[in-house]
Amino acid sequence: MKVLVWQWGRRGGGPRFAIDLARGIASLPQHEIVLSLSRQSEFMNLDEVVCDLPVSTYTNIVGLLWRAICAPQLFFSLRKQLKGRGLDLAVCAMPGPLDLIMLGALRSIGVPVVVFVHDAQAHPGDGYPMQIFLQNILIRLADGVAVLSRHVARQLEQSGALHGRAPVLTTLPPSIFHKNFPAPMAHQGAKRFLFFGRLLHYKGLDLLAEALSLLPSDLVFEMRIVGNGPASETLRELARDARVRVENRWVPEDEIPALIAWADVLVLPYREASQSGVAGAAIMANRWAIATRVGGLTEQFADQTQAIICAPTASSIAAAIVEMVRTPPALPPRYDALKAWRNMSRQFLQDCGNLLAAR
């Protein structure tokens, strides 16, 4: 079976998901993968990434508008490159603003398309203009839809975006990082907590700031808040805590493994979530985790012993931090991320086959 996986984001979770999914499918016997990424993606600079179909996209809003204007040219270029490859299935790993052009090119040569929907609703301050509008068109035109949590499946059903169709339900395995992570607390110092990701309100940073103010004064730990976002009073409040270091910056992909390796505990104090790559990082690197009971987070940690799941309130987060410092839960055995992606890919392709056969 020959499968095309594409995702044209320049950085972040979209391209990473596409690369891991491609690796999972390629690891299956008698399966061949064609991976398509943006030429502007930061992942193109990583030695372990092999992109079979690089596509020039954009670096800013002006470039996106120009690419949209040149949509017919891109359509015919893609059609020419895809025709004759013998593709059995194409998978959009995460919707983006130019994906309707790729979908059109694939449909014109008779290749079925399945779209992974990560978020049924746009998170406040996140995403791109018209994100959900374009995503809903993509869902309607695609041959099938896949989701990574029951939470997102329910949201799509309630919104009517699925038009009565049942989605393929799968899971989000941890990302595959080619690194041997040291055991938590190998540094033998104070326990290290890490918040990593977009510094936006829905990530619950205000809850975390309030939680820190409730902690016992003699509780010893370190915390880093690392990610990109607008300056805010919440970040300034966090930075005033002597135990906390705020680093408001974009973290390049090749720096992420070292950042995770620094931490003992990953903190996810979110107000809402579909699913989380940070949760996957905690599982993959065998780190403890504190996560709020929202969205799909409980599904991700359902079979994991290292996570403390708490209510999305400052008092509950504070209690979880105290417990994590003083009596952390047991850590599970090391996780085999490639095996998880292989198993996920096998089941995903089987479910896609059943879905397409029933059409």
Side-chain angles (χ1 to χ4, degrees):
M1 186 177 192
K2 195 169 187 179
V3 182
L4 166 72
V5 175
W6 91 87
Q7 212 292 320
W8 293 340
R10 290 176 292 140
R11 57 190 187 180
R16 166 56 66 186
F17 178 78
I19 292 165
D20 289 339
L21 178 62
R23 286 173 177 159
I25 295 173
S27 71
L28 297 173
Q30 299 180 324
H31 283 72
E32 186 178 349
I33 197 76
V34 176
L35 177 63
S36 179
L37 301 174
S38 167
R39 290 187 191 275
Q40 286 72 38
S41 171
E42 66 177 357
F43 291 84
M44 295 292 284
N45 299 320
L46 301 183
D47 293 336
E48 68 268 21
V49 174
V50 178
C51 178
D52 310 281
L53 182 60
V55 174
S56 296
T57 55
Y58 54 89
T59 56
N60 52 40
I61 188 64
V62 175
L64 172 58
L65 291 173
W66 177 249
R67 218 51 179 120
I69 292 170
C70 298
Q73 179 184 352
L74 179 57
F75 168 85
F76 287 110
S77 173
L78 289 170
R79 190 178 189 278
K80 181 179 179 180
Q81 293 179 77
L82 295 168
K83 195 173 182 180
R85 283 183 179 260
L87 296 173
D88 299 296
L89 177 68
V91 181
C92 175
M94 179 186 284
L98 297 175
D99 290 331
L100 287 170
I101 304 171
M102 174 65 110
L103 184 142
L106 289 162
R107 294 293 293 271
S108 74
I109 58 174
V111 179
V113 177
V114 174
V115 176
F116 266 100
V117 175
H118 295 243
D119 298 302
Q121 303 169 354
H123 296 298
D126 213 350
Y128 52 86
M130 300 178 66
Q131 174 184 345
I132 300 302
F133 175 76
L134 291 173
Q135 176 174 282
N136 286 343
I137 296 175
L138 197 66
I139 290 172
R140 185 156 196 164
L141 295 177
D143 298 280
V145 177
V147 295
L148 296 163
S149 68
R150 291 181 178 84
H151 172 71
V152 172
R154 286 193 296 267
Q155 287 186 318
L156 287 173
E157 290 165 359
Q158 290 166 3
S159 71
L162 293 175
H163 302 282
R165 296 182 297 172
V168 171
L169 176 62
T170 183
T171 57
L172 177 62
S175 291
I176 303 168
F177 288 105
H178 299 282
K179 179 179 177 63
N180 294 320
F181 289 87
M185 297 302 297
H187 54 85
Q188 299 182 339
K191 192 157 286 179
R192 297 170 173 177
F193 290 76
L194 172 67
F195 173 99
F196 171 53
R198 296 294 301 278
L199 306 182
L200 298 172
H201 178 71
Y202 80 91
K203 295 286 191 175
L205 286 167
D206 59 326
L207 297 177
L208 181 58
E210 186 180 350
L212 293 178
S213 71
L214 301 175
L215 296 176
S217 58
D218 62 345
L219 193 71
V220 179
F221 65 93
E222 296 179 61
M223 182 175 290
R224 291 171 70 184
I225 312 291
V226 185
N228 188 45
S232 66
E233 180 54 38
T234 297
L235 292 179
R236 287 188 284 272
E237 181 182 351
L238 286 164
R240 284 193 287 267
D241 191 313
R243 300 164 294 191
V244 178
R245 186 161 84 244
V246 175
E247 302 170 42
N248 191 346
R249 61 187 178 89
W250 181 263
V251 181
E253 185 67 22
D254 57 2
E255 289 185 24
I256 293 176
L259 184 63
I260 296 169
W262 174 88
D264 303 309
V265 186
L266 295 180
V267 185
L268 296 78
Y270 302 166
R271 291 179 173 275
E272 59 177 90
S274 301
Q275 57 277 315
S276 171
V278 176
I283 297 168
M284 173 273 306
N286 210 35
R287 262 54 189 160
W288 288 294
I290 294 173
T292 47
R293 193 177 293 106
V294 297
L297 293 184
T298 52
E299 294 179 50
Q300 280 188 273
F301 284 118
D303 300 321
Q304 304 300 320
T305 61
Q306 75 262 52
I308 297 176
I309 308 297
C310 62
T313 64
S315 58
S316 295
I317 295 169
I321 292 174
V322 171
E323 181 180 349
M324 195 62 79
V325 171
R326 294 176 176 170
T327 55
L331 286 168
R334 288 280 181 177
Y335 198 90
D336 188 335
L338 180 57
K339 180 180 178 180
W341 278 99
R342 183 184 302 118
N343 293 338
M344 177 271 210
S345 299
R346 181 184 296 110
Q347 187 62 55
F348 165 68
L349 292 177
Q350 180 179 321
D351 291 343
C352 285
N354 294 336
L355 176 73
L356 296 173
R359 285 177 61 86

